[in-house]
Amino acid sequence: AVPLFLHFVLFRSSSSRTLPSFLIVGPSGAGKTSLLTLFERGSPATTHTSQTPLTVEAALPVTTTAASNRYRSSHDPSSKEHKIFLLVDTPGHGKLRHHAFENITSPQHLKGIVFLVDAANLSTGAGGPTDAGLREAAEYLHDILLMLQKRAMGTKKVPEMPLLIAANKQDLFTALPAPLVKAALEAEITKVRESRSKGLLDSGIGMGDSDMAEEKEWLGEGGEGKFEFAQMEDVGVSVTIAGGSVLGGEGPEVGKWWDWIAESL
Ligand code: GDP
């Protein structure tokens, strides 16, 4: 991970206040710190568990054209400049997640959210040893999406927020490919929102001011049906799923994620 002092230097530099930023979130072990290091230095490094959010400056590789530069002539010198942006790493540990949520509720030029998951730690089989990984990822993602939904339903008009589900560790043969990661997370989030709303009813919250607690805590469209990421479009959140690997035998495979960042800049 980036040493702590560096975090403070970057965080306090005036440029970091105005640069577009992307938030990287996800369960611990997903590969966030590795991804951050790769984006920053161009090569992944071995990491240790992060306990504080990190902010680093990264630049788009020259081969990727940011959406805002696409129509510039190749003779325009500004089209050759790297687009700089910030990545905010957040600890995946449950108790430290308020850092991630703070970044969403008070975003500074936040252009998008990357939710990184370990695609080899998501099992769709019932009762398997890795089901806990799927549950943890689904709960975390559910909470982030719910927060984005609440933010969009507020009185203040908020910008659209693209979210990338980056299905990491595709180099491992046990990794689920992106379409299966999508299906597994949608199915598990369906269960999470059911148990959350049941928990609310059981706790008595929402008995008095019923529409407040009950309606606002329900992610996506009403009804008992299946949760789908497409339901988030209604609240200005477009969800994309793309596979990749930060590490792995053949070296990093993160082209689809770069493309998504370039689209969102
Ligand atoms: P974080 O807790 O989300 O910050 O995850 P780390 O970046 O610390 O990575 C957790 C572990 O996964 C480390 O042992 C990494 O070396 C490993 N890892 C990260 N990305 C990949 C990948 O693409 N493929 C494989 N095989 N391992 C990875």
Side-chain angles (χ1 to χ4, degrees):
V2 182
L4 200 57
F5 69 86
L6 192 56
H7 157 56
F8 284 111
V9 171
L10 290 172
F11 210 61
R12 282 162 190 275
S13 78
S14 58
S15 64
S16 62
R17 296 240 153 64
T18 50
L19 290 172
S21 67
F22 288 86
L23 187 66
I24 301 181
V25 293
S28 62
K32 296 180 298 300
T33 316
S34 311
L35 179 65
L36 199 74
T37 317
L38 173 67
F39 276 177
E40 186 194 27
R41 297 183 206 159
S43 64
T46 46
T47 64
H48 64 77
T49 307
S50 42
Q51 294 295 319
T52 46
L54 296 170
T55 304
V56 302
E57 291 189 16
L60 274 183
V62 258
T63 48
T64 315
T65 313
S68 54
N69 269 349
R70 192 152 304 152
Y71 303 105
R72 288 207 181 113
S73 130
S74 57
H75 301 295
D76 180 344
S78 62
S79 69
K80 297 213 171 59
E81 274 168 29
H82 290 203
K83 277 275 177 190
I84 310 262
F85 56 94
L86 300 172
L87 295 152
V88 184
D89 179 33
T90 49
H93 187 275
K95 282 185 187 145
L96 297 165
R97 277 183 196 161
H98 62 269
H99 288 306
F101 295 151
E102 274 164 23
N103 276 297
I104 294 172
T105 48
S106 53
Q108 298 192 325
H109 308 280
L110 188 63
K111 294 285 182 186
I113 299 173
V114 178
F115 185 86
L116 194 67
V117 282
D118 177 349
N121 191 27
L122 305 171
S123 162
T124 45
T130 53
D131 271 11
L134 176 60
R135 185 68 182 191
E136 193 195 356
E139 283 182 339
Y140 197 179
L141 187 53
H142 170 276
D143 292 354
I144 285 168
L145 292 174
L146 186 61
M147 187 159 300
L148 289 171
Q149 175 177 310
K150 285 184 185 170
R151 176 178 165 271
M153 313 266 265
T155 45
K156 230 176 77 190
K157 186 151 171 36
V158 292
E160 301 202 340
M161 188 60 68
L163 185 141
L164 172 71
I165 299 175
N168 192 26
K169 308 199 188 180
Q170 292 295 327
D171 58 295
L172 301 176
F173 84 101
T174 48
L176 293 183
L180 293 185
V181 169
K182 176 173 185 270
L185 284 172
E186 284 180 334
E188 195 67 21
I189 288 176
T190 302
K191 292 186 204 161
V192 171
R193 74 174 179 178
E194 270 160 23
S195 61
R196 288 287 163 87
S197 66
K198 187 174 176 303
L200 269 182
L201 289 179
D202 290 352
S203 71
I205 298 174
M207 303 292 263
D209 40 1
S210 53
D211 22 85
M212 250 192 73
E214 272 168 54
E215 283 183 27
K216 291 204 178 140
E217 293 301 321
W218 183 262
L219 181 68
E221 283 160 13
E224 295 291 292
K226 189 176 171 293
F227 172 79
E228 284 170 19
F229 290 122
Q231 294 167 10
M232 300 308 296
E233 300 274 354
D234 288 348
V235 291
V237 180
S238 61
V239 179
T240 306
I241 292 114
S245 56
V246 183
L247 307 172
E250 314 275 291
E253 281 288 345
V254 293
K256 287 182 189 149
W257 305 345
W258 273 126
D259 290 346
W260 178 87
I261 285 180
E263 282 299 319
S264 312
L265 260 175

